[in-house]
Structure formats: structure tokens, C-alpha cells
């Protein structure tokens, strides 16, 4: 039998705990699964003296030097999250010739290129399947199974918290605040939910996937993000009337003018496979020139689903170690494509206005849209209380800057009491 | 730059033509995608003199010895299908130390174990992503990304022809024969559709997936198969009334008593992700202990989707060649689990009977079911013409042999004119 492969876990929170548990569950079979036993030799924690039931206390350390200077450690598994000290530790591990597995999307979405270069210099693996969409295999499929494709589009529901909130708003008619409170109570939302509800978390995942799919580095700062805090139950009801669902979608397209990459709420037809992805589930939809359409669905977060992805990477790295081929697949960004500004992107829009309830209003609104080159594809007008109507318009495809100009004029008109919502339409 | 990797294609039919086309489309980028140019040096065809527009005639040969004895050929890509001569060619290629990529499910479902052993002996890759579910990445995800899981269940719509036929029957109310004729006309069904409509094709794919998922060799002969030729538009209508869809499903479960693996029509709830997979699309649903639920959807057949999977395998093998690590992942069957007989499997059943239209019939039928330990969960009874009624029953979970006993008695009763359909229920 091959001698054990020694790994160090950095962090023992939800994900770290899950990986510890899963490796223990599979320990007996690991020689057959990975080719050698996989032994955790260190666990880096902030407080090595805190009691942790079920965890071998002898493995705990609060000293990174114990790990990086131990020549027996061949895989460092970073599960602390955030930028520092994760960035430093991963860089030092790679520089010391250690392979790295990480679930850190924040870090990979900003410093992915630099870290992958460092891994390549030292012939090390840097694997990060768990950084995008939890348990769903997507990094490896994009880098390997679909490598023969020119991928033109990726669309994803890649944040479980917001998908849970929108599902409650859709299925139970809840308003955003109540659905968020429920998500928090059930542990789907963190104490500070900003990164989720503002679309930053999804934006990081889209940066990582766009980089791989289009072979060109995209960083988080280049992703346009818009969250779901302005979505109302009313919008969802009108969308439903029009045969559509509202989802927080990440969209990445490779166009002849450059890469589009953005996260925002979007109306999609009820018949689209992503429309049926509910609750905390994630899904990634991919279009490639040979592949045509494919979709990958599963759990995007949580202790054991994330541990599934991390453990898959550990096993793959172990196999590479045993075959002497670590660094087998490094950075796949060999192009330098421009990223388009959001103003240059074209979309259809759902616009919900509260207007005066009198004749001529529809003509006035549609006139302003028409003058700005925005044509209308669908309209619903409904009287509501207090002498005002709801006017809901879905436009044809229009450039982002034109819709903004039209909205500015509409906002100044006396017949328009309020522009309640502006949401993109697939 | 690395020197070109030379490959030979065996077969230039639909899939072979697609791979030729896709490799030509990607030729310029291949050094960056795979690490080296990939050059087709031979194409084995039955008639090397036939004119083939768009294909370099100098590559064509009808002599297998040209290929297997050429030390420059490092990857043999078998796209002929069927058992012979594919079996002999793949064996000889591996014995000569050549890596093999194949899309051949017939062969892998029967001789997969033997061929993977041979590949291992010669430190070669034997990759077969295209053998299951066309473009959908499923072999590599199961072997690598999900390797940390104990997988307990795989359910799949893995035959596009039958899914297309059932979709037409469901959406347009067509009968089987008409839907099959339409599928044939559109090129979704072959001239001899037996392997598709009888479930053999799906059975081969389930044997391959079950072997990988449960780490224990399952061959095609061990898969229980039942096709869709007995499904009627009436069954689909009643299923719809009960909130269910009828799909041809492959099911593989790892139970404490052994592996269950079977292909048959099945009623699944409209809310199940597989229920929304229509037309010629395929999908594979996987449950693992860490992963929870995941689903992979995409094109299960066709020239370019299959070429996508084959090309992914060629690129992966090329990377292994360049890193000197071919044979990196071989056979993953390290257990020897028994496969259960269909008689021992438990299911719920949808039973549609034509019965005499008189009082006491429901009591009579449910009495027979009850005496055989079959309890009823749902009933629909509708008068139809000629003094007979449709009686549709969904049972609770029952062992296969008990339902057979009950059906034998029902068939002998005078009040039962006909047992029109017996279909399993998820």
C-alpha cells in the first residue's frame, strides 16, 4: 500500500468541520478511492485550546509555521474564507511546493490569476471546485469535459440565500423583509446578509466561471452586480401573469465585442430549466457550440455539500501526487478579452410604474419610450386605489443607456407618480 | 511548443464526422487548450476510396494494422460502435500501449471491466465519457468530483429517442406508433428502433453508471429492462390527472441487500426535476451522502454533442500524455456487491384495468389486491363505452412478486375484462 498522504486543514468552521467529518467517514475506503490513505496531520484554528467534540485535539494548532514548514504536509486545504490571512497562507503554501485545495470564492475571484500562476511555477495543484456552486461539479466539467467547446454563455442561480428568499416571495407571496427574516431563522442567511442579497457572492462566482469558460481572466470588480432588495411581491405576481419567474441570475456571455458579466434579478420564462430551480438549490446553465445546452443543479452551500466538492479535489490532488503529475491542469486563461461596460449591454426590461388613472397615460408613457428607441412588447394596466393605476411594460431589446434616458424623462412627468421597479427580462 | 499528439479515428459516421469537425474547428487553439497540437493521422473506414467531402483523403485507411502498428499514434478514438471489431481493436490498441477514447456503450456495458483492467496493465487511459448521456459530463463527475460520496441512487432519462416519443404522447396526445413514426422522420429514432424503445440502450448506460457510482461491476445482462411500447396516451392522461408524468427511467440504487438496477417506464411527480426534462434531452439525477441531490441535464446524442464529450476525453488524455501520467484513473470497482433480482424489488404501481360497469367491482378488485398484501393509495374510476369502466389504481409500496400474484388472480376474474397497463410509480 502507498504511504499516507498528509493534509492540513486551515479552518474548522462549518465547511472545515464537514470536510473533517467526510474524510473520517471515508477513511477506511480511501486507499481504494484515492490510491493511498489520506491523513489530516494539522488543523489550523484561532484557538487551539477550545474544546471541539469529535475532533482529535492533538491535530489542532494555532501556528501556521507548524504547517508550512512541515515537509510531510503535501496538501493544504484552506477553508477559512475571506482575503487575509488566506491569501498569505495559500501563497506561502504554494511557494513551499505544497498543493492547495480551497473553497474561497472571495479570494479566487480577485487573486485567482496570480495564485494559479504561482501554482504553475511550483508545479502544484490549486483546486477550487467548492468555490462555485457548492457540491455541483462545474469547475472540472468546464476545464475538462467541455474543453472542446467554445462556450458562449453561462447563466446561473449561484446564491442559495437569495434563491430561497425569492422562492418564498413567489410561492407564499411574502415581501422581501419577511422572507429574509425567515431565511436568517433557518440558517440560510448569515447575520450580515449583504454579500448575498446585494449579489456580491454571486458576482464572485460568475467572475470565476467566466474566466474559465472564456479562457480570459475576469475579476470581481469587473462584474456588474445588482441585488434583490428592490424586488416586491407585486413584481413577482405580475411576472407570473406573464408566464415568467423572477430569479437572481448570474449571466456571462462571450460576444464579439467582449465579455458581458453581470448579476441581477431577471424575469425568465416558466418553461426555462432555471425557472424550476427553487429553495436553496443552485444551478448553472451552459451553452457551448458543440455541447448545445446543458444544466447542472444541486446544493450550492452547506456543511456536507461543500465538503463533497472539497473532498473531490483532495482525492484528485492525491491521485496527481501518486502519479507525479501535480500541476496537471493550471490556469486556462490564454486570451485577453475585454469586459464590456454595463451601459453597452442590451436587454429587455420589465418596468412597473404607478401612474395617474386617466386617459392618455399609456400614450404618454409609450411615447417617451418610443422617442428613446424603446419599443414595447407587452403591457398590463390595472386600476389600483387612490386614483392611480399600475402600468407594467415589457420592452423589446434595448441598450442599457437608452432605457436609463427614457426612465429619467418618465420620472419627471406629472402623470407618472412612481417608477416602482425596473427588472431585466431574459 | 510540444510536438503534436497523433490520434487515429476509428469510424467516420455521425459521431466520427462530428469529432473530425470539432477537432478542425479547435485546431488553432489546441496547443493552448491541451498543451500540444492534436493531429488526426489516420481515419479507419470500411471503404477508403469513397469520396468524403471536407475530409482529407490522405488520412483514410481500411487497414487497422496501419494504425495499431504505427508507434506515432498515441490515442485511438473508437467511434464505430457495436461489439466487433470494436472489441478487438480496443484490446489490441491497449495491448500496444495506446490510449483509447470510446463512445461505445454496448461494449463498455459488457466488457468494460476487462478493458479497464487491460488499460491498467499497460498504464493507458481508457476514457468513455461519451458512452453515457452524450454531451453531459457524468463519468468524470462521478469518478472525480463526487469521489468523496457514498452514492446511494442514480436515476436518469438516458435515452433521447424514447423521451422524445413520450414527450409527443404527453404534449400532443399522440399514440406510441404515431410518435415513433414522427421520431423516425426527424432522425431521433433509427431505422431499427428496438434498442431504444425496448430500453436496452438505456440499460447499457445504467450498467456503466451503476458500476462507477457503486464501485462494483454491473453488466448489461444484470439490468432489468422494460420498454415503452405498452404505454398508451390514456395512461399518460390518467397520470396527468394524478399530478404525474410518465418517463422511461433508468434507476440504480445501492441498498443493504445489494444493487438494484433497472430501466422501465415510471410515473414521477410533476414537481420532480426529471419530470421537466422533455424532447430529446437527457438528464441524470444523483443522490450522495454528502452531495445530497444533484442533476445533470443536456443533449444525450447527436453529432456535435457526442463530439463534445469525445473531444473532452481526447484533451484530457493529451494532458496525461504530456505529464507522463496516463492510466491516472482506471477502474474504480473495488467492491463486489450482489445485484438484486427484479422479483425482490419493491415499487408502487399504477394499474389500469377495464372492468364491468356494475356495483361491487371496486370491492372485488381491492379485495384481491388486499389478500396479496397490496394496499391502495389512489383510485380513479370512470365509465367508458360498451358497459365497461376504466379503473385506475395506484398502490402503496409492494414487492414485485406480490403484484404479479395479484395480477394473475385479477386476470382470471370475470368482472375484469382486461389489465390494460401496469406501470411503476416513483
Amino acid at each position: 500500500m502507498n504511504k499516507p498522504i498528509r493534509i492540513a486543514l486551515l479552518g474548522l468552521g462549518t465547511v472545515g468541520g464537514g470536510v473533517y467529518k467526510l474524510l473520517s467517514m471515508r477513511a477506511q475506503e480511501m486507499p481504494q478511492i484515492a490510491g493511498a490513505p489520506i491523513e489530516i496531520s494539522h488543523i489550523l484554528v484561532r484557538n487551539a485550546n477550545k474544546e471541539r467534540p469529535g475532533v482529535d485535539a492533538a491535530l489542532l494548532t494555532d501556528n501556521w509555521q507548524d504547517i508550512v514548514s512541515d515537509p510531510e504536509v503535501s496538501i493544504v486545504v484552506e477553508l477559512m474564507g475571506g482575503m487575509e490571512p488566506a491569501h498569505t497562507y495559500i501563497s506561502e503554501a504554494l511557494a513551499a511546493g505544497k498543493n492547495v485545495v480551497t473553497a474561497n470564492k472571495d479570494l479566487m475571484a480577485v487573486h485567482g490569476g496570480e495564485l494559479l500562476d504561482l501554482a504553475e511555477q511550483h508545479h502544484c495543484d490549486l483546486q477550487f471546485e467548492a468555490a462555485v456552486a457548492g457540491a455541483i461539479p462545474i469547475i472540472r466539467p468546464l476545464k475538462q469535459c467541455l474543453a472542446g467547446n467554445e462556450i458562449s454563455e453561462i447563466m446561473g442561480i449561484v446564491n442559495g440565500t437569495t434563491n430561497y428568499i425569492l422562492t418564498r416571495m413567489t410561492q407564499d407571496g411574502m415581501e422581501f423583509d419577511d422572507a429574509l427574516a425567515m431565511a436568517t431563522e433557518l440558517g440560510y442567511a448569515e447575520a450580515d446578509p449583504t454579500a448575498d442579497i446585494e449579489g456580491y457572492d454571486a458576482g464572485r462566482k460568475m467572475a470565476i466561471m467566466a474566466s474559465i469558460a472564456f479562457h480570459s481572466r475576469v475579476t470581481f470588480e469587473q462584474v456588474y452586480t445588482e441585488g434583490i432588495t428592490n424586488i416586491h411581491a407585486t413584481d413577482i405576481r405580475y411576472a407570473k401573469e406573464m408566464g415568467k419567474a423572477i430569479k437572481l441570475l448570474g449571466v456571462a456571455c462571450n460576444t464579439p465585442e467582449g465579455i458581458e458579466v453581470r448579476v441581477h434579478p431577471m424575469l425568465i420564462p416558466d418553461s426555462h430549466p432555471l425557472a424550476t430551480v427553487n429553495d436553496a438549490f443552485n444551478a448553472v446553465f451552459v451553452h457551448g457550440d458543440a455541447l448545445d445546452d446543458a444544466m447542472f443543479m444541486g446544493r450550492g452551500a452547506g456543511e456536507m455539500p461543500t465538503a463533497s466538492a472539497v473532498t473531490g479535489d483532495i482525492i484528485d490532488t492525491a491521485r496527481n501526487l501518486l502519479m507525479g503529475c501535480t500541476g496537471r491542469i493550471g490556469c486556462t486563461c490564454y486570451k485577453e478579452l475585454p469586459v464590456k461596460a454595463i451601459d453597452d449591454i442590451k436587454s429587455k426590461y420589465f418596468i412597473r410604474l404607478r401612474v395617474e388613472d386617466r386617459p392618455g397615460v399609456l400614450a404618454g408613457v409609450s411615447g417617451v419610450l418610443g422617442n428613446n428607441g424603446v419599443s414595447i412588447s407587452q403591457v398590463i394596466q390595472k386600476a389600483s386605489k387612490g386614483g392611480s393605476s399600475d402600468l407594467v411594460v415589457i420592452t423589446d431589446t434595448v441598450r442599457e443607456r437608452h432605457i436609463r434616458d427614457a426612465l429619467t424623462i418618465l420620472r419627471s412627468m406629472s402623470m407618472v407618480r412612481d417608477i416602482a421597479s425596473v427588472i431585466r427580462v431574459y
Side-chain angles (χ1 to χ4, degrees), chain A:
Chain A
M1 189 156 76
N2 285 309
K3 70 179 188 119
I5 290 173
R6 298 228 151 72
I7 75 172
L9 302 188
L10 315 189
L12 197 62
T14 304
V15 178
V19 172
Y20 184 88
K21 204 189 288 181
L22 190 54
L23 288 174
S24 311
M25 283 159 66
R26 291 295 106 83
Q28 225 190 323
E29 293 186 45
M30 204 48 94
Q32 290 153 307
I33 297 173
I38 292 180
E39 282 183 15
I40 299 173
S41 63
H42 303 77
I43 304 174
L44 186 70
V45 289
R46 231 173 265 152
N47 178 357
N49 298 316
K50 191 173 134 185
E51 205 159 319
R52 298 167 201 264
V55 175
D56 181 355
L59 306 179
L60 301 174
T61 173
D62 55 11
N63 184 358
W64 164 241
Q65 290 307 321
D66 283 357
I67 294 169
V68 73
S69 64
D70 183 343
E72 293 290 306
V73 172
S74 46
I75 309 176
V76 169
V77 184
E78 186 277 306
L79 305 167
M80 301 180 298
M83 302 303 271
E84 280 299 344
H87 189 191
T88 303
Y89 291 175
I90 290 180
S91 306
E92 292 181 2
L94 293 170
K98 298 188 189 308
N99 301 283
V100 172
V101 171
T102 176
N104 194 328
K105 54 190 162 288
D106 303 43
L107 187 58
M108 290 307 292
V110 176
H111 297 291
E114 160 211 325
L115 293 173
L116 284 162
D117 284 348
L118 193 59
E120 198 173 329
Q121 275 171 43
H122 296 275
H123 309 287
C124 289
D125 276 354
L126 169 54
Q127 303 219 43
F128 50 98
E129 184 64 76
V132 178
I136 306 172
I138 185 67
I139 304 295
R140 196 170 282 103
L142 285 174
K143 285 199 170 196
Q144 300 188 43
C145 311
L146 309 181
N149 284 267
E150 187 165 296
I151 292 173
S152 52
E153 189 179 19
I154 291 188
M155 288 216 309
I157 295 173
V158 288
N159 181 272
T161 309
T162 47
N163 202 39
Y164 181 81
I165 292 172
L166 290 173
T167 302
R168 290 283 67 74
M169 292 173 72
T170 304
Q171 294 183 350
D172 309 331
M174 291 172 97
E175 282 297 346
F176 173 78
D177 289 335
D178 300 326
L180 172 59
M182 195 166 180
T184 311
E185 205 180 299
L186 292 169
Y188 289 135
E190 292 177 57
D192 176 0
T194 313
D196 292 324
I197 62 177
E198 294 298 351
Y200 306 151
D201 173 81
R204 292 182 180 113
K205 293 164 181 167
M206 293 311 297
I208 295 171
M209 283 197 287
S211 301
I212 298 169
F214 308 144
H215 302 293
S216 184
R217 183 61 50 194
V218 175
T219 58
F220 175 52
E221 312 85 75
Q222 296 174 301
V223 183
Y224 173 82
T225 55
E226 210 180 286
I228 61 163
T229 55
N230 292 324
I231 303 292
H232 300 274
T234 311
D235 299 318
I236 294 177
R237 272 199 306 275
Y238 280 116
K240 223 185 247 177
E241 271 186 48
M242 294 164 150
K244 294 178 201 295
I246 299 184
K247 293 289 184 187
L248 181 69
L249 285 189
V251 180
C253 303
N254 191 3
T255 76
E257 302 83 40
I259 294 173
E260 281 180 29
V261 54
R262 48 204 164 96
V263 171
H264 47 64
M266 205 166 192
L267 279 79
I268 50 172
D270 284 335
S271 58
H272 193 286
L274 287 173
T276 60
V277 177
N278 287 321
D279 297 315
F281 274 94
N282 281 20
V284 180
F285 183 89
V286 181
H287 185 88
D289 60 352
L291 170 72
D292 191 37
D293 290 336
M295 191 174 88
F296 307 75
M297 196 189 85
R299 295 264 170 213
E303 182 191 22
M304 297 314 283
T306 311
S308 166
V310 170
T311 304
D313 280 353
I314 294 172
I315 292 169
D316 201 39
T317 303
R319 283 170 167 159
N320 286 344
L321 276 162
L322 294 169
M323 296 294 287
C325 62
T326 56
R328 196 176 147 268
I329 301 180
C331 186
T332 47
C333 294
Y334 55 84
K335 297 182 188 174
E336 289 189 14
L337 302 173
V339 176
K340 279 162 87 170
I342 188 75
D343 279 358
D344 294 328
I345 288 173
K346 289 177 189 165
S347 276
K348 296 177 182 180
Y349 287 86
F350 164 102
I351 306 171
R352 180 164 62 88
L353 307 127
R354 272 191 290 266
V355 295
E356 287 185 6
D357 194 8
R358 62 169 175 83
V361 168
L362 181 57
V365 168
S366 53
V368 169
L369 291 172
N371 289 340
N372 283 278
V374 180
S375 54
I376 293 175
S377 115
Q378 228 177 321
V379 176
I380 297 178
Q381 185 161 16
K382 280 191 188 172
S384 71
K385 46 199 166 183
S388 74
S389 295
D390 269 359
L391 178 61
V392 177
V393 168
I394 289 188
T395 73
D396 282 335
T397 303
V398 57
R399 203 174 285 273
E400 182 98 8
R401 67 174 86 219
H402 293 159
I403 204 82
R404 290 200 186 163
D405 293 346
L407 290 172
T408 305
I409 299 173
L410 287 176
R411 220 168 264 126
S412 71
M413 292 166 78
S414 64
M415 63 174 72
V416 175
R417 298 206 170 152
D418 183 22
I419 299 178
S421 297
V422 180
I423 310 172
R424 289 171 191 80
V425 179
Y426 183 66

